[in-house]
Amino acid sequence: MVFRFRGEIMGFLNNYLELIRKRGNFQLAESIEKTAHDIREKAVNDFNYREHIVGLLIGDVQSGKTSQMFGIMCMAADVGFANFILLTTDNIILQQQTFERARNDLQDFLICDENDYIPFVNNNMKKPAVIVLKKNGHILKQWKNNLSSTKFGMGNPLFIIDDEADAASLNTKVNQHLKSTINKNLEEIKQTSSSSIYLQVTGTPQAILLQTIMSGWKPQFMYYFVPGNGYMGGNFFFGDVEHRNVIFTDDQEADYVLVDDEFPENGLKTALLYHLVASAQLFLEGKKVSNFLIHPSVKTSEHTAFAEKVGNYLNELNCAIDEDVTIESLKVVYDVFAEEKHDMFEFMKIYDFIKDRVSTDDIKILILNSVVSYQDNVQYQEGINIIVGGNSLGRGVTFPQLQTIYYCRLSKNPQADTMWQHARMFGYDRQPQLMRVFMPPMLYKLFADINKTNNSIVSQLLRFDAGEDVKITYPSGLRPTRKNVLDKNAVEIFTGGVNYFPLYPENNQVKDIDALLERFADGEYTVTLKMFLQILEHTISERRDWNNRCFIEFIKTILADSPLAQGELIVRRGRNIGKGTGTLLSPNDRKLGDLYKDIAVLTMYKVIADKGWTDEIWIPNIKLPGGNIYYYNVAEHTPRQMDYTVDIGEMSVQISVDRR
């Protein structure tokens, strides 16, 4: 289908898809077309040209989000959007890379750089225009003024696509009741038009999913696009079964490397050997680049120390390249690869290649961090490279043919979104048989936990209707994101293994709970969690001190991951407990519930009409699976103050959450 743009029949999406197909990427073209169609159905067809709406596009890290973004812009241009802003992180090279890629791919558009205000105005909407901007306070303020000064800005909708939207766009001063600079500028840019669609794009949506409607950044529609064939992501490396591509190092290896002259076994030394053998195979196959990434810590001094260690070992290897022990070490690695990759070149050809490259000092050691920036060290696009760095190895940085990863950074307060963005091993242009990741078991467990939650988020996105909140659960000690972008009065946090119950309970219909539990005599039972949902639907509170929706949604999340999940139901009748006393479980029932660590426990007490109770009533007590922290983004209709009563050990404690 084609559309008329200012008198001329155009088919922006069709033209873009044809360009992708000409490059041989037929599957990518099909994926882009589906994403564009689905986003159109979700947000564009019913757009009323009066509102400013916010959406969220989620794609796995390094799974091809830029192509999907371009397809969405083409679709929007086809239906009449003329002004686009494409936001990148505040990095000159990344902004320029995006600008050049847009010029190459969006050939029917006017592509504007940050200083191209005059071409933008002179275009006067003859062609749809894309302005590629860094999320930099000065740049955003400048373009807010530029857009305000145009004659056509206010009268036309604005389509903003914010790549890595969770990184800098959210309000970092939300708990100070202020606006951070970038967030304020972006809000003002939206207001330069009569209406807008603001599409947030990220591979780590945790911070965005926990925004509130009042913040203005809670998505009104969400979409996840599935990566294409050949993508190596979280499930490849950190799925349910430990993958042979991951090799465990000692949890304290980073410290050992820095203080010892000898390299620990199964650590950095072994990783270097794997990199050399993999590189030899790739180059003999005709590849032009092979990269090895070392992520030891955030300290730049340690980056230098690791780089020096690697250099020293390469020198030693060069001197000992003809010795039997060196040849045997390389042969061991070769044999491991050959077990899975059956078209390996013969070992002596691999060995001769390594000998030649080591002796000619043809292996580059590069440092990328806040001291040595991208502008100073970007030679990893070709050759055999060993790259050492910290936070600079995160968002937006793509290393071609990255085959070996050595990651030993242990954080005291790990954040899921930050850690996941450091997973540069994800992508398409890797050979799975030659891929190896070296990391401590503790780090592997963290990545596996993050991957599990990511899968849960995706399953919820695919299952939920528009407007439903996505529930996020992480093991204790692992935060979803940084605290300063979350409204502490709007994100409820529940701890697994703790008993929660209403102090002033009500039942929608006591007889309905009676009917649900009539076949259960007093005792304990293993039941489907779907039974928990039916029971909890009838449990409310006369003073709003119990938000049954929180627990219902958490149970739904568990069921989304495991439809056959079971819980423990404990039923007790004829209980004589005083109303409002702040106690519920008997010592024996508390101990009984504590026997179940890894599943949800729901204890239902039927209290007799005595001690303040005018009628018989069922009181729920729920304990979510232990060891996890459960995050709930409070719906706007939830009362400003909520009081939760929790059993901790032998004590019951009332917790008040005030959202005013």
Side-chain angles (χ1 to χ4, degrees), residues 165-185:
D166 59 312
S169 306
L170 300 176
N171 185 13
T172 60
K173 296 183 178 181
V174 60
N175 294 307
Q176 304 170 40
H177 306 293
L178 299 170
K179 286 274 190 181
S180 55
T181 300
I182 302 298
N183 185 260
K184 179 175 180 290
N185 287 329

Side-chain angles (χ1 to χ4, degrees), residues 18 24 71 83 140 166 177 180 196 248 265 283 292 296 312 317 361 370 375 378 388 416 448 486 561 584 597 609 635:
E18 184 60 26
N83 297 326
L140 295 177
D166 59 312
H177 306 293
S180 55
S196 67
F248 289 146
E265 293 298 322
F283 272 70
F292 172 20
N312 291 338
L317 188 68
D361 195 25
S370 58
Q375 291 90 330
V378 292
V388 186
L486 301 183
D561 293 334
L584 180 65
K597 306 294 185 185

Side-chain angles (χ1 to χ4, degrees), residues 555-605:
I555 296 300
K556 284 183 178 180
T557 302
I558 296 172
L559 285 167
D561 293 334
S562 179
L564 301 180
Q566 303 287 296
E568 200 67 17
L569 175 66
I570 301 173
V571 180
R572 300 283 186 259
R573 296 174 175 84
R575 308 298 295 182
N576 192 3
I577 299 172
K579 184 176 183 178
T581 61
T583 60
L584 180 65
L585 293 182
S586 69
N588 287 339
D589 285 338
R590 185 182 295 112
K591 291 177 182 177
L592 177 61
D594 287 343
L595 294 176
Y596 303 95
K597 306 294 185 185
D598 300 323
I599 63 172
V601 179
L602 178 61
T603 303
M604 296 297 296
Y605 275 10

Side-chain angles (χ1 to χ4, degrees), residues 506-537:
E506 284 185 344
N507 299 157
N508 291 336
Q509 291 288 339
V510 174
K511 63 181 182 180
D512 289 338
I513 302 181
D514 286 339
L516 284 169
L517 298 177
E518 65 180 351
R519 62 185 181 277
F520 297 101
D522 284 13
E524 57 178 297
Y525 305 88
T526 301
V527 302
T528 171
L529 286 185
K530 294 177 182 178
M531 170 65 91
F532 281 22
L533 296 179
Q534 294 183 51
I535 296 171
L536 289 171
E537 286 287 355

